[in-house]
Amino acid sequence: DQKDVLFAQSLKKTFNKEAGLTEGSWEYITDPGKDFLLKMLQRDPSKRAKASDLLNDEWLSSTSELHVNKEERKKYICRLAQISTVNSFQHAVLAFLTYHQYLQDDSEWAKNLFIKLDKDHNGIISKEEFASVIKDGELFLGDEEAAKLFKKLDANSDEEISYSEFMTGAMNFKTSISRAALEQAFQFFDKNGNGLIEKAEILPRLPVGFNSDYHFEELLKEYDKNNDGKISFEEFEAMMFEIANSSGGLTQINPFLLYNDQ
């Protein structure tokens, strides 16, 4: 209809070099890049590109090749090992932060790396894909260690690493964990709004295999400083800043971390 025509014309004008968007950040976007955006911004769903087609788009493939070389893959796959140091509750909080996009600018490398790992471009990383790139990155991890790292990233134990699971593991804890972000996360877990996180509020949100009374009691032993059987915001904040302060530029994987089954 007329609205669709006007919408399409508006988009074409927006991404047209002659429309005046050649200065500033726009001058760094190539014509193939603009075409890629237009494929996603179709008003008519039947004309809008599918995710699988976008993942195989020539521009996206060439971009990932440009920004993720072998040394970068090695460096950043190492960072993924940091997920091995967190417990189940910390992992759930990190997943919340990922979902709500509390990510810093350096998350771009992770997006590109995900594309490289997902060799068949189906939106998930299989064990085979993960293992092949781990070996290609020359990280000196054996099959058993690579399998355990995969298990740490696979939060819901479905034998696949989704994009959100990958981004949770790739998060820069030091720069992404802030008081403001933690306040939002705490409100999410504190369902009744009483300023305390209780067992019934935690267990349903813990990763599969870690949502038992036993795991809750283990969390209390370490973080419930006043022994009231609940987690206050101060205790919650201390728990999360613990991993923010202890993480830092990992440059190699310590295989022993992969055997930490918290």
Side-chain angles (χ1 to χ4, degrees), residues 142-243:
D143 291 339
E144 185 177 0
E145 286 80 12
K148 285 188 175 290
L149 178 54
F150 182 92
K151 183 178 179 181
K152 292 288 185 179
L153 291 167
D154 179 21
N156 66 357
S157 302
D158 65 353
E159 303 294 311
E160 300 170 339
I161 299 175
S162 67
Y163 181 73
S164 60
E165 288 172 331
F166 183 83
M167 294 301 288
T168 296
M171 180 186 292
N172 186 330
F173 296 166
K174 188 177 291 292
T175 59
S176 296
I177 296 175
S178 66
R179 185 179 181 86
L182 294 180
E183 287 174 347
Q184 292 295 316
F186 187 84
Q187 291 176 16
F188 171 76
F189 288 96
D190 179 22
K191 288 302 181 183
N192 64 12
N194 67 348
L196 297 167
I197 298 177
E198 305 168 34
K199 180 170 71 173
E201 295 171 321
I202 291 180
L203 293 187
R205 291 170 175 77
L206 295 184
V208 176
F210 296 93
N211 52 355
S212 65
D213 289 346
Y214 167 78
H215 288 97
F216 178 72
E217 294 301 326
E218 290 298 304
L219 288 172
L220 291 181
K221 287 180 183 178
E222 187 166 1
Y223 300 110
D224 180 21
K225 302 304 181 183
N226 63 359
N227 299 312
D228 65 350
K230 303 169 185 178
I231 301 294
S232 67
F233 177 74
E234 290 72 21
E235 293 166 337
F236 177 83
E237 185 179 43
M239 175 187 74
M240 295 307 298
F241 276 122
E242 174 183 276
I243 59 173

Side-chain angles (χ1 to χ4, degrees), residues 38-53:
L38 283 169
K39 292 175 184 178
M40 293 188 290
L41 296 174
Q42 291 293 328
R43 182 185 180 92
D44 184 350
S46 65
K47 298 178 181 179
R48 194 178 306 142
K50 297 179 181 179
S52 57
D53 294 330

Side-chain angles (χ1 to χ4, degrees), residues 17-141:
K17 282 186 174 182
E18 298 178 358
L21 294 175
T22 58
E23 299 179 355
S25 60
W26 286 103
E27 69 177 293
Y28 300 104
I29 299 179
T30 63
D31 288 338
K34 294 174 184 177
D35 290 338
F36 179 81
L37 292 173
L38 283 169
K39 292 175 184 178
M40 293 188 290
L41 296 174
Q42 291 293 328
R43 182 185 180 92
D44 184 350
S46 65
K47 298 178 181 179
R48 194 178 306 142
K50 297 179 181 179
S52 57
D53 294 330
L54 292 170
L55 285 170
N56 286 301
D57 188 87
E58 182 179 354
W59 175 80
L60 194 60
S61 299
S62 63
T63 301
S64 63
E65 285 289 344
L66 178 65
H67 294 294
V68 186
N69 58 39
K70 188 172 184 178
E71 285 305 309
E72 287 176 327
R73 291 203 303 272
K74 179 176 179 180
K75 175 182 176 181
Y76 291 122
I77 290 175
C78 284
R79 186 195 279 185
L80 295 176
Q82 69 185 345
I83 202 68
S84 302
T85 68
V86 309
N87 62 46
S88 55
F89 190 21
Q90 289 168 329
H91 195 290
V93 176
L94 293 172
F96 171 88
L97 298 181
T98 302
Y99 182 79
H100 290 275
Q101 300 182 345
Y102 285 99
L103 302 173
Q104 299 302 312
D105 292 340
D106 68 349
S107 64
E108 189 64 29
W109 69 265
K111 298 173 185 176
N112 289 331
L113 181 55
F114 183 88
I115 294 170
K116 294 297 296 183
L117 283 159
D118 179 21
K119 291 187 174 182
D120 61 4
H121 302 310
N122 67 345
I124 57 173
I125 299 170
S126 67
K127 282 185 176 181
E128 294 73 22
E129 289 171 329
F130 185 77
S132 67
V133 177
I134 284 286
K135 292 177 180 178
D136 185 44
E138 299 178 355
L139 298 180
F140 306 106
L141 280 182

